[in-house]
Amino acid sequence: MARLTVQPENRSYPLSATVSLLNTLLRNSHPIQHRCGGKTQCGTCRVRILEGSRFLNPVGENELNRLGQENLAAGLRLACQTFAYGDVSIEIPKD
């Protein structure tokens, strides 16, 4: 089974391709901001992809509009819109 690893805490959780990174974190009681409940409206659930980007779903139009090309190029994704089918390592930005 695929794993989601959160750095720098080095916490690892089982990952399903049908569950967003946001819901994976919430199901495992890992703290992450999420004001809009996963509807791509607030952008508070940003994560930086450290490893495993090849295992992620493509960026959708709403996520692109919310983050912008510059943030995507810097490795940021919205956890509510990101699904993975392989091992992924992330960090949750402080701001």
Side-chain angles (χ1 to χ4, degrees), residues 10-24:
N10 200 32
R11 289 189 184 164
S12 183
Y13 309 110
L15 186 59
S16 168
T18 61
V19 178
S20 71
L21 298 186
L22 176 64
N23 284 330
T24 299

Side-chain angles (χ1 to χ4, degrees), residues 15-48:
L15 186 59
S16 168
T18 61
V19 178
S20 71
L21 298 186
L22 176 64
N23 284 330
T24 299
L25 292 166
L26 294 175
R27 286 179 180 183
N28 289 283
S29 300
H30 194 100
I32 184 170
Q33 297 245 1
H34 58 98
R35 290 186 194 139
C36 75
K39 297 180 176 88
T40 327
Q41 295 175 348
C42 68
T44 58
C45 66
R46 293 175 186 211
V47 295
R48 183 174 314 282

Side-chain angles (χ1 to χ4, degrees), residues 59-74:
V59 175
E61 184 177 340
N62 289 340
E63 186 178 14
L64 173 60
N65 291 338
R66 176 61 56 197
L67 286 176
Q69 195 63 36
E70 187 175 309
N71 284 322
L72 289 169

